[in-house]
Amino acid sequence: MTVAIVHYHLGLGGVSHVIITISHLLREAGIQHVILVGANPPPTASGLPIRIVPGLEYDGVGESGAISQASLMDSLRSAALEALGASPDIWHFHNHSLGKNRRIPQVVDNLAEAGERILLQIHDLAEDGRPENYARLMDRNPSVLYPVAERIHYAFLNSRDRHAFTMAGLPLRNSSVLVNPIVPAETTPTSNAEAAVVFAPIRGIRRKNIGELVLLAALAPPGTRFAISQAPLDPVAKNIHDTWQRFASHQRIPIDFNVVGNLVPAGALESTFETWVRRSTHWISTSVSEGFGLTFLEAIAHRKPLIGRRISYVSEDHAEHGIVAGNLYDRLLIPEDWVDPFLLKDHLLTTLERNYRLYQKHLTNDMVDLALSKFIDDGWLDFGNLPEPLQQSAIERAMETGARNLPKVEVQGVRQDVAEWLENAIAHRQCNADPRQLAPWSPQSARDGLCAIYQHLLEMPSGPLSSIEPASVLEQYFGTDRFHFLKSAPKPATPPLAYHAVIFDIYGTLLIAPAGGVKVDLDADARLRSVINEFGFHAPDSPSTAIHDVVRKHHIAANAAGNPYPEVDLRESWRDALGLDEGTPTHELVAAIEAVWHPAALMPGAMAAIQSLAASGLSLGILSNAQCNTRDAFGDLWSLFAPALTVLSYQHGIAKPSDRLFQMIIERLARRGIHPSETLFIGNDPLHDVVPAAYHGFRTALFAGHPDSYRPGACVPDHIIRNWSDIHAIVALPFR
């Protein structure tokens, strides 16, 4: 028996690891084989029977774009013949339909038409959350993507995928579940006395749900450290990974990224993968999708307790062998009001449109409504099914005072505080299963299963060739009711943002309102008396004069006490002006008075600008002279501003341009790891906004987009905003 194993590469990754392990096992079994790949192998593959075939690598890498399908077919046959001395008895392809190389399905189709014996081992699928790959495949319009014949066998990593293909038309006898081998480990469990190190032995791609790792690290018991093994190589995936790394650093969350080869764990001398495995006290998986779920079983092999998110179809396969892989939750829930519903719908709509376009499907409004209805469950959202920008804003909310006990984990319908669950899970230092239970996944079992498939193919006679319609397979995986943000095509790459935070002034910048300030206004007195009387209070003849006198006395007293920029709290001032008892509720009264005296409305374009900036992952804040009623004009939009970065003058008794307010916002930004030079301050007043902000090191933008915005004074801002749509170009500009 001779076998030609075909894959794109043997670089870092789960498929490469499986191929290298299987090659050693086939050699032990005396099966002659060759591994055909498109790029030079790593040192870990030294000594294996490898041949380089130009054109096998991913599209756009090396010579792949210049080699035709016919030339690639000839090169594969020649390389196999040279290595084996004859044409292989069996062609063994890994991930032929993934869409990374559009010529491979045509090669498989040609071999099938020639009656060759073929094993198609499916690790990952373009149909399962890789719409950009699917579009690349369909661009070539392959005549056959999934051929069916007695001499063609499909090997899947889990029973879910096997069932899906069976439902799509693949005869059950033409398929098997072929497990990945779990190599025995000799790792010694870490002492209970050591600080907890929670290790994610993964490449940090999107579907691994990095944001959930960051959230759990933020809520973990003090002293706990999280670590992610490696960064992805793909530029788009790496950009998402690096964005999370910057976010976690700014938030000072105890999680390290890309640690293998770059960071030495505490108490160790080197940064190898093996060292991190030894030093870890726990392993973690927050992935939303796995083909095999290697982390779940390797944690047992290394005798490490596993915590994290359960994947039902993976756990069900494990349960058939009596294994409960770890302390796993089904969902991680956050309060519904932590996510702006308009932003969620906007993300959902644009992502669905992108997915449906790439999958060549038609999207209707009913489908959007159905997908949206799946998100909210009795006031809760599953954090794992949110796009990264909304995950980041939710993490900020979770880190606020008093909020860490609000997120919940759900295990078989029972909910528990995440922080409490984490504390218990990390206190538990024993592995959840015995390594002896891994016998069904042993190298010998994997070798025997593979050899049985090879032998079956050798015994199969030639027969008719048919195929499964690609659309039938897609139907098993893709649908609005199965939508998941982290299994969607990411947004097209955009230039890195120039800023990490944006701080806004309010009046004249985000809100249009009549000239503010408390002054004698005889024309308004009748309206003010009416409001005051409606609340059951006795109104003076001139309410505007009464409130003006109170505010003036307050300012004189504050100036005498050394406060050059005093600010009143109108709730207290109106109590004094109306002679009310201390503690009388006046918030609603102030809101009603201001609504008729200084009615405010959002600047044109301000809402879209704020939503867009929040969706990009920027931290948004407020530094403004304002009162208790100010936030009412923003409605739900107010939730997009980080509470810790919101400084309103009435809360502190001081007003801009006081240095104390600017120092306050600088200190709060510093807690997130953000410097004023990384922050854009936007205001409409040269003397109260731009000049003091620049003095304190902020980048500045003067808003001049409305006739009521103009304030006198000289300044030299970094940017001038004449329309809120200008903000998109500004935040994408590199620093000067």
Side-chain angles (χ1 to χ4, degrees), residues 585-605:
T586 53
H587 182 111
E588 293 183 4
L589 172 66
V590 170
I593 287 174
E594 290 299 297
V596 301
W597 198 4
H598 304 116
L602 283 168
M603 284 282 179

Side-chain angles (χ1 to χ4, degrees), residues 553-573:
K553 290 177 183 177
H554 178 275
H555 283 183
I556 291 172
N559 290 157
N563 179 1
Y565 305 110
E567 177 65 287
V568 299
D569 182 338
L570 283 179
R571 295 172 300 181
E572 297 175 1
S573 298

Side-chain angles (χ1 to χ4, degrees), residues 25 135 142 169 174 185 199 248 259 297 300 329 441 454 477 522 610 634:
L25 294 173
N174 288 56
F199 186 49
V259 297
L297 299 180
I300 300 171
Y329 52 80
W441 297 274
Y454 286 165
Y477 292 93
L522 301 181
I610 293 168
F634 288 86

Side-chain angles (χ1 to χ4, degrees), residues 40 63 125 375 423 441 604 668 696:
N40 290 323
E63 303 178 42
L125 287 155
F375 274 85
E423 185 173 0
W441 297 274
R668 297 183 183 192
H696 287 90

